[in-house]
Amino acid sequence: MTESHFSSHGSKFSKIGESYTDLENKRSNFIVKKELMAVGMRQRLGFLWLMLDPIFYSLVYYFVFDIIRANPNTSSIIIGIGMMRVLQDSFQSGVSSVGNFTGGIKAERLRTRVLISAMIKSRIINTLFQTIALSLVLVFALNHEYIVGIAYIFVCQVVGLLSQGTGLNLSMLTKRIPDVRKLVSYFMRVFFYMSPCLYPMSNTKGLHYEILTYNPYSYFVEWVRMFAQLTS
């Protein structure tokens, strides 16, 4: 009797635990769908903008820095700008993450684990949309191997998650001190031009090269360039 009692009691707790986990997963998935729908509903083209946006910026900077001024490698520019775009978008998303603890579910305040789970899922999906178009350009338009496109997507996913996490660590500070958000905006602009985004590290020297060795972004973008057999 005692054994059967504890067995039944444990089974009840097990079911309660499983149902609670399922509930948190459903909440997390709801937040992901809500954020993705928000992106799609703001513009008529919806998710297509996530794929067109990095291509647009790549073409703009390509014409500015490649045709008008110099003649760097097209693949190198696309890889650098596309990855930088993911970094900036992820970082800003992390900085702006604190402000709504309900995740769009107005009935209650959600647990941190649910919000973080939804944030990670949203970042992975968002980054995939941002990188898949450029990876196709690298493979089919610029004649790189398929593995280069896959490597580019994978590295951008890592950069996106790390950047959002870094921004998340600053989110409370920017919420308490609004001026910090302005400083972050200026920093990101300087960071863009000081990083090997529009040029490979091999084109720099002296103090500039030394600074780039302390820039984490340098190692991610230069690895993809090296993998694509570009100058690095």
Side-chain angles (χ1 to χ4, degrees), residues 9 17 20 28 32 41 54 76-77 124 137 169 173 185 204 215-216 220 227 231:
H9 191 64
Y20 191 76
S28 176
V32 174
M41 294 291 287
S76 181
I77 289 180
I124 291 174
V137 170
N169 288 327
L173 182 62
S185 177
T204 63
N215 183 348
F220 290 106
F227 198 79
T231 304

Side-chain angles (χ1 to χ4, degrees), residues 25 34 65-66 68 71 82 119 136 145 160 207 212 214 223:
N25 287 333
K34 178 178 176 295
F65 290 93
D66 185 66
I68 297 179
N71 188 32
M119 187 183 301
L136 294 176
E145 298 291 335
L207 181 61
L212 291 181
Y214 295 98
W223 184 85

Side-chain angles (χ1 to χ4, degrees), residues 98-138:
V98 174
N100 182 13
F101 294 99
T102 67
I105 304 177
K106 300 299 183 182
E108 58 183 302
R109 175 170 171 163
L110 298 181
R111 297 178 64 184
T112 302
R113 184 171 65 179
V114 176
L115 294 174
I116 292 178
S117 173
M119 187 183 301
I120 292 174
K121 293 176 184 177
S122 297
R123 176 48 44 200
I124 291 174
I125 297 173
N126 201 303
T127 300
L128 181 62
F129 274 109
Q130 287 183 312
T131 56
I132 193 168
L134 285 183
S135 68
L136 294 176
V137 170
L138 289 171

Side-chain angles (χ1 to χ4, degrees), residues 21-40:
T21 301
D22 291 340
L23 178 60
E24 288 197 337
N25 287 333
K26 289 179 180 179
R27 288 172 171 175
S28 176
N29 291 333
F30 171 81
I31 297 172
V32 174
K33 292 178 181 179
K34 178 178 176 295
E35 291 186 358
L36 292 175
M37 287 298 295
V39 174

Side-chain angles (χ1 to χ4, degrees), residues 44-55:
R44 292 186 178 181
L45 294 180
F47 295 111
L48 186 59
W49 279 117
L50 288 175
M51 293 185 286
L52 295 177
D53 184 75
I55 293 179

Side-chain angles (χ1 to χ4, degrees), residues 42-84:
R42 280 198 293 265
Q43 300 95 8
R44 292 186 178 181
L45 294 180
F47 295 111
L48 186 59
W49 279 117
L50 288 175
M51 293 185 286
L52 295 177
D53 184 75
I55 293 179
F56 170 78
Y57 275 91
S58 296
L59 289 175
V60 168
Y61 286 108
Y62 172 77
F63 280 107
V64 171
F65 290 93
D66 185 66
I67 296 178
I68 297 179
R69 297 189 58 185
N71 188 32
N73 187 283
T74 305
S75 299
S76 181
I77 289 180
I78 288 179
I79 291 172
I81 293 177
M83 192 177 297
M84 177 59 72

